Each structure stands twice: as C-alpha cells, then as structure tokens.
Amino acid sequence: MLSAARNILKPSVARTFAAGKAYKHTLPPLPYAYDALEPYIATEIMTLHHTKHHQTYVNGLNAAEEAYASADSTAKKISLQSHINHSLFWKNLAPAKEGGGKLVSGGALEKALVKDFGSVEEFKKTMNAKTAAIQGSGWGWLGYDPVAKKLEVVTTPNQDPLLSHVPIIGIDIWEHAFYLQAR
Amino acid sequence: MAHTLPPLPYAYNALEPYISEEIMVLHHTKHHQTYVNALNAAEASYAKASTPKERIALQAALKFNGGGHINHSLFWKNLAPSAAVNKGNGGVLRDGAFKQAIEEAFGSLDNLKKEFNATTAAIQGSGWGWLGFNPSTKRLELATTPNQDPLLHLVPIIGVDIWEHAFYLQYKNVKPDYLNAIWNVINFEEAEARFNEAVGGSKL
C-alpha cells in the first residue's frame, strides 16, 4: 500500500541504495504553471504552497536524513510524510482547461464511484464533509481499500500519509492550502 | 446555559502592526464564534444522550470546540495593544515576583522568548504554545498542546495560537516572524495576574 508513495520517491531511493551515500530529495516541479489552477486555487497560494511549504519539507527531510544517526526521527518522519503527500497532491490537480475537474464518462473510476458512493455528486459531498470535519490540520483522501475492494473516503491528521488505502485523490486541508483565498 | 463569544478587550485594530485588523476580525468573529456555536450544539446533544456510546461519540466535538473556546478566550486576554507603538502596555514586563520566576526558570525574558518560540514553531500541525505554572514544582515551564486541546497539566499563564489562521494572512509561511512580533502585544499584566493567582499568594 505504500507503492504509490514509493513510486513518487523512486529515483531518490534507487540512488541511495546504489551510491550508499547521502542523496537528496528534490522538489518536484508542478505539472502546470502557477496560475494554471485559477480561479479555483489562486496563483499566490500555489506559489507559496509549492515554493515555500513543500520546499521546506524537502529541505527538512534532506537535512534530517544527512544527520540520520543523531536525527530527530520525528522530524524526519514528518518531512518524509509531507513530501509524499504534497508530491501526490500536485499531480492530482490539473488546470481546468486541460481536463481538471472532468471525470471520464463511462470510465473505470466513474463506475467505481457510482458503485461505492451511489453517484459522483454523492462522493464529492462525502469527501467534502469528511475533509472539512478534520479537527486541526490534515488531508482528505479518496482511497482504494484493496482488501474490501472498494473506494472509501478517509482522512489523515497532520502530514500522516495514507497507509491503509491506495491514495487515489488527496486534498490538503491545512489552512495554508486555502486561507489566502477562501478566508 | 449557552456559551457566548467574549468581546475583545480592545478594538480590532488595536494590536497593529503586530497582528493585523483583518486577522483579528476573522479570528474572533468567525473562528472563535464557530467554536462557541459548535460547543453549544455538542453540549445540547450531550444533554440528550442517554447511553455511554452516545456520550462517547460526542466527546471529540466537546473537546475540540470546548478547547477552542477555552483557548481563544484566554488568548484575547493575554494580548494587549503594544507599548512599542504607544497604544498600551503590551510587551512590557514589570519588576516583581512574576519577572523573578521567569528569570529563575529561563535565565531572562529574552531567553524565555527564544525557547517559547522554538518549541511553539516546532509544533507539527495545528496547536498552541504555552507558558504554564506547574503547581507541584511551583515553577514556570513551557508546554504545547495539539489542535484545540486545552492545557490541563499546568496553569495557563500565556498562550499563543499557532494555527495557520492566526497568522497566515499577514506572515504567510514565515512563522518565526509572527512569533517574534507577538511578544510586542503579550499582556504581561494579565500573565502576572494569572501567575499570582496560581501561586495563591498576595501581591505585596
């Protein structure tokens, strides 16, 4: 179930085992311009969120891993978790004019959403309600439970990655993800 | 009896330039108000609950919203318009038993600020930084609480909200700038009153 996370960070991990010395995680570039998600997510938010918040987690992760022997294992864990979550996040967003927000009609995901939630609208309602109800910082997820073989909405607190399900869609509900725009 | 939003002890712009009016308005009239409303709703449901399961199911809402109401009520009172811009006494710690207790526990006020800011900035997620009084050791110490958990094991002396809504509109991601700035509006008089009450001593 960590395979989504593993894939996101694959190049770095491979380099580590090969080189046997310190390697560096890097901030993945956004798959679109900083203003590409307007008017839904503001340029100002995307710039800060990507170049400051995610970059800080990447830097923190690299620093903690370099000093691994005496590292604060909690700091390293949090940085890694946040790096995983944000890397998934950028990829699961897309500009509206490049298909963002549009679910392929008749595709496997649509069928699964209808099967497990009744309708796509019902899924969105459930996702939003559960994500908004997080008490503190965290993430809302559409996840696939490979044992029960169904899609479910789950949440994780702070920067905890989704481990119990395969992440399909993640939504950052930390205040930094929306406060400048939605107040 | 229903809880109500306590009024701010000062105008919404009174903590400028350290905490912006925009933040104060949203923080007080939206965020704190929401905790009050949700606390009242949770307590109303709890009063109607008749089984342990129903009561347990409501505990998270009581803790979150009750904690939010407690914490923010303490917060507004431990802030004050700043002496640095001639608006009040915010930021000024006068001589006395409280100042002595700070120096005994931290060496100096500056060192308290440094350590407080470091532990508060290190909170992972949302939460609160606290200077508290330990009634067993009778000393001041630092603590943090996650999310809206209230401070229970120490008497709260000074609380600082480090949820992003408390600073983001003004300081964006630069938490250290907010934490440095807020000391200009910390109400040390209120803190001293809390300290004196905790010690249970006289003010002579």
Side-chain angles (χ1 to χ4, degrees):
Chain A
M1 283 169 221
L2 268 174
S3 58
R6 241 184 267 126
N7 289 336
I8 281 282
L9 302 181
K10 221 174 206 174
S12 310
V13 175
R15 272 208 296 281
T16 295
F17 291 129
K21 51 181 178 177
Y23 61 96
K24 281 181 170 287
H25 297 280
T26 56
L27 182 70
L30 284 189
Y32 32 75
Y34 284 101
D35 64 357
L37 304 187
E38 292 267 13
Y40 308 103
I41 306 184
T43 306
E44 186 182 19
I45 287 180
M46 291 305 291
T47 307
L48 283 165
H49 203 173
H50 184 249
T51 68
K52 301 291 181 195
H53 290 274
H54 190 175
Q55 182 70 70
T56 298
Y57 289 122
V58 170
N59 297 344
L61 176 59
N62 287 331
E65 287 188 339
E66 243 179 78
Y68 186 68
S70 55
D72 176 335
S73 63
T74 312
K76 173 185 153 150
K77 182 179 112 181
I78 297 297
S79 299
L80 175 61
Q81 291 166 350
S82 167
H83 182 37
I84 291 169
N85 291 341
H86 284 86
S87 301
L88 289 169
F89 186 50
W90 309 132
K91 292 180 71 166
N92 77 209
L93 297 171
K97 53 179 172 257
E98 287 173 30
K102 294 186 196 62
L103 177 61
V104 170
S105 193
L109 180 56
E110 190 190 42
K111 291 200 175 120
L113 286 172
V114 171
K115 169 176 148 292
D116 294 325
F117 293 96
S119 70
V120 176
E121 275 320 299
E122 205 44 51
F123 151 65
K124 288 182 187 176
K125 252 180 73 181
T126 305
M127 179 80 161
N128 285 358
K130 288 198 165 172
T131 302
I134 291 172
Q135 292 171 348
S137 308
W139 289 73
W141 301 94
L142 173 66
Y144 179 73
D145 183 338
V147 173
K149 296 205 188 317
K150 53 191 276 217
L151 290 172
E152 287 172 334
V153 171
V154 288
T155 62
T156 54
N158 300 327
Q159 291 298 352
D160 290 12
L162 182 59
L163 299 179
S164 57
H165 295 59
V166 178
I168 308 298
I169 295 172
I171 297 179
D172 188 348
I173 201 67
W174 281 60
E175 286 170 333
H176 64 240
F178 62 87
Y179 208 77
L180 293 179
Q181 190 169 359
R183 297 306 201 258
Chain B
M1 193 170 70
H3 301 277
T4 55
L5 181 69
L8 285 188
Y10 32 74
Y12 285 102
N13 65 359
L15 305 186
E16 293 264 10
Y18 307 102
I19 305 183
S20 70
E21 180 175 10
E22 187 184 22
I23 285 179
M24 291 305 289
V25 170
L26 284 164
H27 204 173
H28 183 250
T29 69
K30 303 290 180 199
H31 290 272
H32 189 175
Q33 182 72 70
T34 299
Y35 290 120
V36 170
N37 297 345
L39 175 61
N40 286 333
E43 286 188 339
S45 300
Y46 196 86
K48 296 200 197 84
S50 55
T51 66
K53 183 173 162 185
E54 285 172 1
R55 291 189 198 107
I56 290 167
L58 287 164
Q59 278 169 5
L62 285 170
K63 180 177 174 187
F64 183 63
N65 296 296
H69 182 38
I70 291 168
N71 293 340
H72 287 87
S73 299
L74 287 169
F75 188 48
W76 309 133
K77 292 177 72 168
N78 73 216
L79 297 172
S82 181
V85 290
N86 295 319
K87 286 186 174 181
N89 288 331
V92 175
L93 173 65
R94 58 188 179 196
D95 292 334
F98 179 47
K99 183 173 184 199
Q100 251 180 289
I102 287 177
E103 286 165 355
E104 267 162 29
F106 300 97
S108 66
L109 175 60
D110 275 350
N111 205 50
L112 163 62
K113 293 177 185 180
K114 232 178 89 180
E115 292 189 23
F116 185 105
N117 288 359
T119 53
T120 303
I123 292 171
Q124 290 163 352
S126 307
W128 289 74
W130 300 96
L131 174 66
F133 177 78
N134 185 328
S136 315
T137 62
K138 304 229 181 295
R139 280 172 65 88
L140 292 170
E141 50 184 82
L142 298 179
T144 61
T145 53
N147 302 325
Q148 290 298 351
D149 290 12
L151 182 61
L152 297 177
H153 71 288
L154 303 172
V155 178
I157 306 298
I158 294 171
V160 169
D161 191 354
I162 200 69
W163 278 63
E164 286 170 333
H165 64 241
F167 62 87
Y168 208 81
L169 292 177
Q170 187 173 1
Y171 296 96
K172 307 287 187 332
N173 60 303
V174 194
K175 263 194 288 197
D177 284 0
Y178 162 66
L179 290 170
N180 285 331
I182 200 168
W183 288 101
N184 291 290
V185 288
I186 290 296
N187 186 347
F188 284 106
E189 287 173 12
E190 168 71 10
E192 187 175 24
R194 292 174 185 171
F195 172 79
N196 288 336
E197 194 187 337
V199 171
S202 74
K203 292 174 194 168
L204 284 170

